[in-house]
Amino acid sequence: MQEKQEKSLTSSQVNKYAFYLLTSSLAAMVQMTYMTIFMTDCIGIPASVVATTLLVARIIDFLIGVICGGIIEKFRMPWGKYRSWLLVLRWVIVFSIVCSFFDTSAWPLGFRVGVSFVGYILLNASFSFTTNAYYALGPALAGANLNDRFRLSARGAQFMCVAMLITSAATVPLVTALTPVVGPANAYLIVAVVFAIPYIFGCQVVSNLCKECDPSGKRKEQGGASAVTLMDMVRSVTQNKQLLVVFLAYTIYYIGLYVISGLGTYYFSYIVGDYMKMPVCMTVTMITGTIASMVMPKIGGKLGKKRAFVVSLVIYAAAYACVYFAGGNWIHYMICAAIGGAAVYMFTSFGANYFVDCGEYHLYKTGKDTRTIAITMYSVPMKIGMALGGAIATYGLAIIGYEAGMTVDAAFEQHFMTLLSIIPAVLVLVGAVIMQAGYKITDEDAARYAAENAAKYAPKA
């Protein structure tokens, strides 16, 4: 069906679309990586309270993530069905970052918790809408051309890697340099805001790029697919077995990932005993990740979506199982993290295309166009992973006896390394098994579904 595919996108179009992910990653990474230790060590919230606060916030965030696709489908704003969310919510995201790192250390505990809670909810709920709107613009921009869809997602993964390289190399040194001048809490705030500013322009760039392909969402401009009801949205998830398989595999992977992410700062602060080794380690792993983001997508393309996913997760699980033996040897830890981080680019280069394929499959089988809902589900596993993985990490710290400023003994170190390595490794391996056993859409099937759907449900002139 290759004759049905549209003319390829230019490199400029691909880069402009991917630029959004560079800026959104810059805006999000400081909160994702440092908010927990900011809350415990900078504004003095006990670890158990932090765990409960973030768990409640992440549950709410998850619920918003589930329904945001339906809201995007039904709600209309004047600047385009998808672009409008980017243009409006970028300002809310910048404000929420200020809330997340505002120095409330002199306030009562309830106020400290409340401000952090509001900052977290505003940021992540807003990103639920903007991220799903952004990923919905990808198929609209690329059309049925699966090669262009892959180019968009692969370049986005590369740009995200660049953003992570920048934040990993710069955040801790900048915070350390600013701390003697403005204090540790304000240092985090300044750095977070500086990294958030480019996001304003990233939203504008992708909005301008997609102005002509963003549907207004008016019923008369839709193609021949049946109108989607709320019950169709529910069925699109519960009755689409392939979507459920991908959703579950991704969710378990993200739970393991966010256990690791939630403990990284504590590993360097308390197990290694040198917080400044963290930016060195992160910079090295991001450099190897950047190189991997150029090479691994080609390997992933040869393996195909399913095999790339499974092989990546098996390597990632093995790498982090080996972290258990690192102890305070941060070089050992860095090597394992670099290997695991490089491997995942075999499948992350496909990005939302796993979920897009499931949406095309559902439309092909049922005639109900719930592709936007399928795309929405791409971000939900991350929400669940943040909630459950973050809870495992933070409650785990409380269970093994963590206290801010504590002196580490051998027993604590052993429990911590189990929490950091063995638990996430097992989770990631389970995700690989689920994908291997349950996912049935071949890349050839995905191309056929997309081409036939494009022909049958093309928008009317």
Side-chain angles (χ1 to χ4, degrees):
M1 303 297 294
Q2 291 299 315
E3 69 274 10
K4 298 290 186 181
Q5 292 198 350
E6 302 174 6
K7 182 179 178 180
S8 291
L9 298 173
T10 67
S11 295
S12 175
Q13 288 174 303
V14 172
N15 288 331
K16 286 178 180 178
Y17 181 80
F19 178 70
Y20 170 89
L21 287 180
L22 187 151
T23 60
S24 66
S25 297
L26 286 175
M29 281 303 297
V30 176
Q31 194 208 60
M32 290 175 63
T33 307
Y34 300 100
M35 186 171 182
T36 301
I37 201 165
F38 174 86
M39 292 174 71
T40 57
D41 289 25
C42 289
I43 57 175
I45 302 176
S48 59
V49 177
V50 171
T52 302
T53 301
L54 293 182
L55 179 60
V56 172
R58 286 162 177 166
I59 290 172
I60 296 172
D61 179 37
F62 160 71
L63 295 174
I64 293 171
V66 170
I67 66 173
C68 71
I71 295 173
I72 291 171
E73 282 298 292
K74 298 296 183 181
F75 195 77
R76 302 292 174 256
M77 287 190 283
W79 307 285
K81 182 177 181 180
Y82 304 123
R83 295 166 54 247
S84 298
W85 298 96
L86 300 170
L87 295 174
V88 172
L89 292 180
R90 54 182 171 169
W91 306 108
V92 178
I93 285 171
V94 173
F95 171 75
S96 67
I97 288 171
V98 174
C99 289
S100 297
F101 291 99
F102 195 75
D103 185 4
T104 57
S105 57
W107 296 16
L109 179 61
F111 283 99
R112 282 177 273 159
V113 171
V115 173
S116 297
F117 181 85
V118 169
Y120 185 93
I121 287 290
L122 284 178
L123 180 71
N124 289 277
S126 297
F127 266 130
S128 290
F129 284 92
T130 58
T131 300
N132 285 299
Y134 169 79
Y135 282 120
L137 287 170
L141 182 63
N145 191 323
L146 263 64
N147 181 59
D148 277 351
R149 292 184 184 184
F150 175 73
R151 289 172 63 207
L152 291 174
S153 61
R155 186 56 52 84
Q158 292 165 357
F159 277 23
M160 287 175 68
C161 193
V162 171
M164 289 187 286
L165 174 59
I166 293 170
T167 55
S168 63
T171 301
V172 173
L174 286 174
V175 168
T176 302
L178 289 170
T179 294
V181 181
V182 297
N186 288 329
Y188 275 108
L189 173 62
I190 293 170
V191 173
V193 170
V194 167
F195 283 140
I197 296 301
Y199 182 68
I200 297 171
F201 302 98
C203 290
Q204 191 66 55
V205 168
V206 76
S207 175
N208 293 343
L209 173 68
C210 298
K211 186 174 183 178
E212 298 303 320
C213 67
D214 182 13
S216 70
K218 295 178 182 177
R219 188 176 301 277
K220 68 179 183 179
E221 294 181 357
Q222 293 176 352
S226 303
V228 179
T229 67
L230 178 61
M231 187 55 64
D232 289 328
M233 295 177 187
V234 175
R235 292 194 187 105
S236 73
V237 178
T238 60
Q239 295 182 0
N240 188 338
K241 293 181 180 179
Q242 294 306 289
L243 180 58
L244 284 174
V245 168
V246 174
F247 179 85
L248 187 57
Y250 254 94
T251 296
I252 295 175
Y253 160 69
Y254 273 121
I255 292 172
L257 177 66
Y258 280 102
V259 172
I260 296 166
S261 175
L263 295 171
T265 52
Y266 296 92
Y267 172 74
F268 284 94
S269 295
Y270 293 94
I271 305 301
V272 177
D274 186 352
Y275 191 42
M276 290 305 296
K277 291 292 192 301
M278 183 176 177
V280 176
C281 177
M282 292 180 67
T283 300
V284 171
T285 55
M286 286 300 103
I287 290 173
T288 58
T290 302
I291 296 171
S293 73
M294 306 295 178
V295 177
M296 290 300 183
K298 298 178 182 178
I299 298 175
K302 292 183 181 297
L303 291 174
K305 292 188 186 75
K306 177 178 177 176
R307 290 180 63 195
F309 190 102
V310 173
V311 172
S312 295
L313 263 61
V314 169
I315 296 173
Y316 190 87
Y320 270 92
C322 293
V323 165
Y324 177 79
F325 304 101
N329 186 339
W330 68 277
I331 300 293
H332 180 160
Y333 173 91
M334 180 176 65
I335 292 171
C336 293
I339 293 171
V344 298
Y345 283 99
M346 282 191 284
F347 87 93
T348 56
S349 59
F350 290 106
N353 286 324
Y354 289 98
F355 292 80
V356 173
D357 288 351
C358 292
E360 298 282 11
Y361 162 83
H362 187 72
L363 174 59
Y364 178 82
K365 295 291 185 181
T366 68
K368 296 289 186 179
D369 190 357
T370 55
R371 288 174 291 185
T372 300
I373 308 303
I375 294 171
T376 297
M377 302 312 292
Y378 175 58
S379 64
V380 175
M382 182 182 294
K383 304 291 186 182
I384 299 174
M386 291 173 67
L388 297 184
I392 291 170
T394 315
Y395 279 122
L397 285 172
I399 290 170
I400 66 176
Y402 167 79
E403 294 180 1
M406 68 179 293
T407 300
V408 172
D409 58 20
F412 178 88
E413 180 175 320
Q414 182 180 9
H415 294 320
F416 182 91
M417 296 308 296
T418 300
L419 189 62
L420 175 66
S421 62
I422 302 301
I423 290 175
V426 170
L427 288 168
V428 170
L429 190 59
V430 170
V433 171
I434 290 171
M435 189 70 169
Q436 176 63 34
Y439 192 65
K440 307 299 181 184
I441 300 175
T442 66
D443 291 350
E444 292 75 17
D445 287 338
R448 177 165 57 88
Y449 299 149
E452 295 192 16
N453 288 339
K456 187 174 182 180
Y457 303 114
K460 295 177 182 179

